[in-house]
Short mmCIF file of all heavy atoms in Angstrom, two decimals:
data_model
loop_
_atom_site.label_atom_id
_atom_site.label_comp_id
_atom_site.label_asym_id
_atom_site.label_seq_id
_atom_site.Cartn_x
_atom_site.Cartn_y
_atom_site.Cartn_z
N ASN A 275 49.55 -52.92 20.47
CA ASN A 275 48.80 -51.67 20.27
C ASN A 275 49.26 -50.95 18.99
O ASN A 275 49.40 -49.72 18.96
CB ASN A 275 48.98 -50.72 21.47
CG ASN A 275 48.27 -51.22 22.70
OD1 ASN A 275 47.65 -52.29 22.68
ND2 ASN A 275 48.36 -50.48 23.78
N THR A 276 49.45 -51.71 17.95
CA THR A 276 50.01 -51.16 16.72
C THR A 276 49.26 -51.69 15.50
O THR A 276 48.89 -52.87 15.45
CB THR A 276 51.50 -51.49 16.59
OG1 THR A 276 52.20 -50.97 17.74
CG2 THR A 276 52.10 -50.88 15.34
N VAL A 277 49.05 -50.80 14.54
CA VAL A 277 48.51 -51.16 13.23
C VAL A 277 49.59 -50.88 12.19
O VAL A 277 50.32 -49.90 12.30
CB VAL A 277 47.24 -50.36 12.93
CG1 VAL A 277 46.81 -50.55 11.48
CG2 VAL A 277 46.12 -50.76 13.86
N TYR A 278 49.66 -51.76 11.21
CA TYR A 278 50.68 -51.65 10.18
C TYR A 278 50.03 -51.45 8.81
O TYR A 278 48.91 -51.91 8.56
CB TYR A 278 51.53 -52.92 10.14
CG TYR A 278 52.18 -53.25 11.45
CD1 TYR A 278 51.62 -54.21 12.29
CD2 TYR A 278 53.34 -52.62 11.86
CE1 TYR A 278 52.20 -54.51 13.51
CE2 TYR A 278 53.94 -52.92 13.08
CZ TYR A 278 53.36 -53.88 13.89
OH TYR A 278 53.94 -54.17 15.10
N LEU A 279 50.76 -50.78 7.95
CA LEU A 279 50.38 -50.67 6.55
C LEU A 279 51.60 -51.05 5.73
O LEU A 279 52.55 -50.28 5.62
CB LEU A 279 49.91 -49.26 6.20
CG LEU A 279 49.40 -49.10 4.76
CD1 LEU A 279 48.09 -49.88 4.57
CD2 LEU A 279 49.18 -47.62 4.40
N GLN A 280 51.57 -52.27 5.21
CA GLN A 280 52.65 -52.75 4.36
C GLN A 280 52.37 -52.27 2.93
O GLN A 280 51.32 -52.61 2.38
CB GLN A 280 52.73 -54.27 4.41
CG GLN A 280 53.79 -54.86 3.49
CD GLN A 280 55.21 -54.49 3.90
OE1 GLN A 280 55.55 -54.55 5.08
NE2 GLN A 280 56.04 -54.11 2.94
N MET A 281 53.29 -51.53 2.37
CA MET A 281 53.09 -50.96 1.04
C MET A 281 54.16 -51.51 0.10
O MET A 281 55.35 -51.28 0.33
CB MET A 281 53.16 -49.43 1.10
CG MET A 281 52.17 -48.82 2.08
SD MET A 281 52.12 -47.02 1.98
CE MET A 281 53.79 -46.60 2.48
N ASN A 282 53.72 -52.20 -0.91
CA ASN A 282 54.63 -52.79 -1.90
C ASN A 282 54.38 -52.18 -3.27
O ASN A 282 53.34 -51.56 -3.51
CB ASN A 282 54.43 -54.30 -1.96
CG ASN A 282 54.72 -54.99 -0.65
OD1 ASN A 282 55.61 -54.57 0.10
ND2 ASN A 282 53.97 -56.03 -0.35
N THR A 283 55.34 -52.36 -4.16
CA THR A 283 55.22 -51.86 -5.53
C THR A 283 54.80 -50.39 -5.53
O THR A 283 53.84 -50.00 -6.20
CB THR A 283 54.23 -52.72 -6.34
OG1 THR A 283 54.41 -54.10 -6.05
CG2 THR A 283 54.47 -52.53 -7.84
N LEU A 284 55.50 -49.60 -4.78
CA LEU A 284 55.12 -48.19 -4.64
C LEU A 284 55.32 -47.43 -5.95
O LEU A 284 56.23 -47.73 -6.74
CB LEU A 284 55.93 -47.54 -3.52
CG LEU A 284 55.45 -47.90 -2.11
CD1 LEU A 284 56.51 -47.61 -1.08
CD2 LEU A 284 54.17 -47.15 -1.79
N LYS A 285 54.46 -46.45 -6.14
CA LYS A 285 54.47 -45.63 -7.34
C LYS A 285 54.66 -44.17 -6.96
O LYS A 285 54.32 -43.78 -5.84
CB LYS A 285 53.15 -45.78 -8.09
CG LYS A 285 52.77 -47.20 -8.43
CD LYS A 285 51.38 -47.26 -9.04
CE LYS A 285 50.96 -48.69 -9.34
NZ LYS A 285 49.60 -48.75 -9.93
N PRO A 286 55.17 -43.34 -7.85
CA PRO A 286 55.32 -41.92 -7.52
C PRO A 286 54.01 -41.27 -7.06
O PRO A 286 54.04 -40.39 -6.19
CB PRO A 286 55.83 -41.31 -8.84
CG PRO A 286 56.57 -42.43 -9.49
CD PRO A 286 55.79 -43.68 -9.14
N GLU A 287 52.90 -41.72 -7.61
CA GLU A 287 51.60 -41.15 -7.20
C GLU A 287 51.18 -41.56 -5.79
O GLU A 287 50.19 -41.07 -5.26
CB GLU A 287 50.50 -41.53 -8.20
CG GLU A 287 50.41 -43.01 -8.51
CD GLU A 287 51.16 -43.38 -9.78
OE1 GLU A 287 52.29 -42.88 -9.98
OE2 GLU A 287 50.61 -44.19 -10.56
N ASP A 288 51.94 -42.45 -5.15
CA ASP A 288 51.69 -42.78 -3.74
C ASP A 288 52.33 -41.77 -2.80
O ASP A 288 52.13 -41.84 -1.58
CB ASP A 288 52.24 -44.18 -3.42
CG ASP A 288 51.50 -45.28 -4.13
OD1 ASP A 288 50.25 -45.21 -4.23
OD2 ASP A 288 52.16 -46.23 -4.60
N THR A 289 53.07 -40.83 -3.33
CA THR A 289 53.71 -39.81 -2.52
C THR A 289 52.65 -38.97 -1.81
O THR A 289 51.75 -38.42 -2.44
CB THR A 289 54.59 -38.90 -3.38
OG1 THR A 289 55.67 -39.68 -3.91
CG2 THR A 289 55.15 -37.74 -2.57
N ALA A 290 52.76 -38.89 -0.49
CA ALA A 290 51.77 -38.19 0.32
C ALA A 290 52.19 -38.26 1.78
O ALA A 290 53.11 -39.00 2.15
CB ALA A 290 50.38 -38.81 0.15
N VAL A 291 51.48 -37.50 2.60
CA VAL A 291 51.57 -37.69 4.04
C VAL A 291 50.51 -38.73 4.41
O VAL A 291 49.34 -38.58 4.03
CB VAL A 291 51.33 -36.38 4.81
CG1 VAL A 291 51.36 -36.64 6.32
CG2 VAL A 291 52.37 -35.34 4.43
N TYR A 292 50.92 -39.74 5.14
CA TYR A 292 50.02 -40.82 5.52
C TYR A 292 49.64 -40.65 6.99
O TYR A 292 50.51 -40.48 7.86
CB TYR A 292 50.68 -42.17 5.29
CG TYR A 292 50.70 -42.57 3.84
CD1 TYR A 292 51.52 -41.91 2.92
CD2 TYR A 292 49.88 -43.58 3.36
CE1 TYR A 292 51.52 -42.24 1.58
CE2 TYR A 292 49.87 -43.94 2.02
CZ TYR A 292 50.69 -43.26 1.13
OH TYR A 292 50.69 -43.60 -0.20
N TYR A 293 48.34 -40.75 7.25
CA TYR A 293 47.80 -40.57 8.59
C TYR A 293 47.07 -41.84 9.02
O TYR A 293 46.39 -42.48 8.22
CB TYR A 293 46.79 -39.44 8.62
CG TYR A 293 47.32 -38.09 8.23
CD1 TYR A 293 47.30 -37.67 6.89
CD2 TYR A 293 47.82 -37.20 9.18
CE1 TYR A 293 47.78 -36.44 6.53
CE2 TYR A 293 48.30 -35.96 8.82
CZ TYR A 293 48.28 -35.58 7.49
OH TYR A 293 48.75 -34.35 7.13
N CYS A 294 47.17 -42.16 10.31
CA CYS A 294 46.30 -43.19 10.84
C CYS A 294 45.28 -42.50 11.76
O CYS A 294 45.53 -41.41 12.29
CB CYS A 294 47.06 -44.27 11.59
SG CYS A 294 47.97 -43.75 13.06
N ALA A 295 44.14 -43.15 11.90
CA ALA A 295 43.04 -42.59 12.68
C ALA A 295 42.30 -43.70 13.40
O ALA A 295 42.28 -44.84 12.93
CB ALA A 295 42.09 -41.82 11.76
N ALA A 296 41.69 -43.35 14.52
CA ALA A 296 40.98 -44.32 15.34
C ALA A 296 39.51 -43.96 15.45
O ALA A 296 39.15 -42.79 15.67
CB ALA A 296 41.59 -44.38 16.74
N ASP A 297 38.68 -44.97 15.29
CA ASP A 297 37.22 -44.84 15.40
C ASP A 297 36.76 -45.66 16.58
O ASP A 297 37.00 -46.87 16.64
CB ASP A 297 36.57 -45.33 14.11
CG ASP A 297 35.10 -45.63 14.27
OD1 ASP A 297 34.40 -44.83 14.94
OD2 ASP A 297 34.64 -46.66 13.75
N ALA A 298 36.06 -45.03 17.53
CA ALA A 298 35.68 -45.70 18.77
C ALA A 298 34.38 -46.49 18.66
O ALA A 298 33.99 -47.17 19.62
CB ALA A 298 35.55 -44.67 19.89
N THR A 299 33.70 -46.43 17.54
CA THR A 299 32.42 -47.11 17.39
C THR A 299 32.66 -48.54 16.89
O THR A 299 32.67 -48.80 15.68
CB THR A 299 31.51 -46.35 16.42
OG1 THR A 299 31.44 -44.98 16.83
CG2 THR A 299 30.12 -46.97 16.40
N THR A 300 32.82 -49.48 17.80
CA THR A 300 33.20 -50.83 17.41
C THR A 300 32.12 -51.54 16.61
O THR A 300 32.40 -52.48 15.88
CB THR A 300 33.55 -51.67 18.64
OG1 THR A 300 32.44 -51.64 19.55
CG2 THR A 300 34.78 -51.11 19.34
N SER A 301 30.88 -51.08 16.73
CA SER A 301 29.79 -51.71 15.99
C SER A 301 29.70 -51.23 14.54
O SER A 301 28.88 -51.74 13.78
CB SER A 301 28.46 -51.44 16.69
OG SER A 301 28.22 -50.05 16.73
N ARG A 302 30.49 -50.27 14.16
CA ARG A 302 30.40 -49.68 12.83
C ARG A 302 30.80 -50.70 11.78
O ARG A 302 31.85 -51.33 11.86
CB ARG A 302 31.29 -48.44 12.70
CG ARG A 302 30.95 -47.61 11.47
CD ARG A 302 31.92 -46.45 11.28
NE ARG A 302 32.16 -45.65 12.46
CZ ARG A 302 31.34 -44.72 12.94
NH1 ARG A 302 30.21 -44.47 12.30
NH2 ARG A 302 31.67 -44.02 14.00
N PRO A 303 30.00 -50.85 10.73
CA PRO A 303 30.41 -51.73 9.63
C PRO A 303 31.66 -51.22 8.93
O PRO A 303 32.09 -50.10 9.14
CB PRO A 303 29.19 -51.70 8.69
CG PRO A 303 28.06 -51.19 9.53
CD PRO A 303 28.67 -50.30 10.55
N LEU A 304 32.18 -52.04 8.04
CA LEU A 304 33.46 -51.73 7.44
C LEU A 304 33.38 -50.58 6.44
O LEU A 304 34.23 -49.68 6.44
CB LEU A 304 34.00 -52.99 6.75
CG LEU A 304 35.51 -53.12 6.60
CD1 LEU A 304 36.23 -52.95 7.91
CD2 LEU A 304 35.85 -54.44 5.95
N LEU A 305 32.40 -50.57 5.56
CA LEU A 305 32.36 -49.60 4.47
C LEU A 305 32.36 -48.15 4.94
O LEU A 305 33.04 -47.31 4.35
CB LEU A 305 31.18 -49.86 3.54
CG LEU A 305 31.30 -51.11 2.66
CD1 LEU A 305 30.10 -51.22 1.72
CD2 LEU A 305 32.58 -51.06 1.86
N PRO A 306 31.62 -47.80 6.00
CA PRO A 306 31.65 -46.40 6.45
C PRO A 306 33.02 -45.94 6.91
O PRO A 306 33.25 -44.73 7.03
CB PRO A 306 30.65 -46.38 7.61
CG PRO A 306 29.73 -47.50 7.30
CD PRO A 306 30.58 -48.56 6.70
N LEU A 307 33.94 -46.85 7.15
CA LEU A 307 35.27 -46.46 7.60
C LEU A 307 36.08 -45.81 6.49
O LEU A 307 37.21 -45.39 6.71
CB LEU A 307 36.02 -47.68 8.16
CG LEU A 307 35.45 -48.23 9.48
CD1 LEU A 307 36.17 -49.50 9.88
CD2 LEU A 307 35.53 -47.20 10.58
N ARG A 308 35.51 -45.70 5.29
CA ARG A 308 36.13 -44.93 4.23
C ARG A 308 36.03 -43.43 4.48
O ARG A 308 36.78 -42.64 3.89
CB ARG A 308 35.44 -45.20 2.89
CG ARG A 308 35.49 -46.63 2.42
CD ARG A 308 34.59 -46.83 1.22
NE ARG A 308 33.20 -46.56 1.55
CZ ARG A 308 32.21 -46.59 0.68
NH1 ARG A 308 32.45 -46.87 -0.59
NH2 ARG A 308 30.97 -46.34 1.06
N GLU A 309 35.14 -43.03 5.34
CA GLU A 309 34.85 -41.60 5.54
C GLU A 309 35.68 -41.06 6.70
O GLU A 309 35.59 -41.54 7.83
CB GLU A 309 33.36 -41.40 5.83
CG GLU A 309 32.44 -42.00 4.79
CD GLU A 309 32.58 -41.35 3.43
OE1 GLU A 309 33.08 -40.20 3.36
OE2 GLU A 309 32.19 -41.98 2.45
#
């Protein structure tokens, strides 16, 4: 029950608070998940 984000070659501009989020619409195509 875990998702990972492996981050390599990090840059100072990657500094931020990182959030994960869940979308319950399993039929949703990939591109709209940018929103």
Side-chain angles (χ1 to χ4, degrees):
N275 290 1
T276 302
V277 171
Y278 304 99
L279 184 67
Q280 177 66 45
M281 304 187 296
N282 299 325
T283 318
L284 284 161
K285 305 174 182 180
E287 51 263 43
D288 293 319
T289 295
V291 177
Y292 283 71
Y293 300 89
C294 63
D297 162 43
T299 309
T300 56
S301 61
R302 194 185 312 282
L304 206 54
L305 289 184
L307 291 175
R308 299 171 298 177
E309 306 296 339

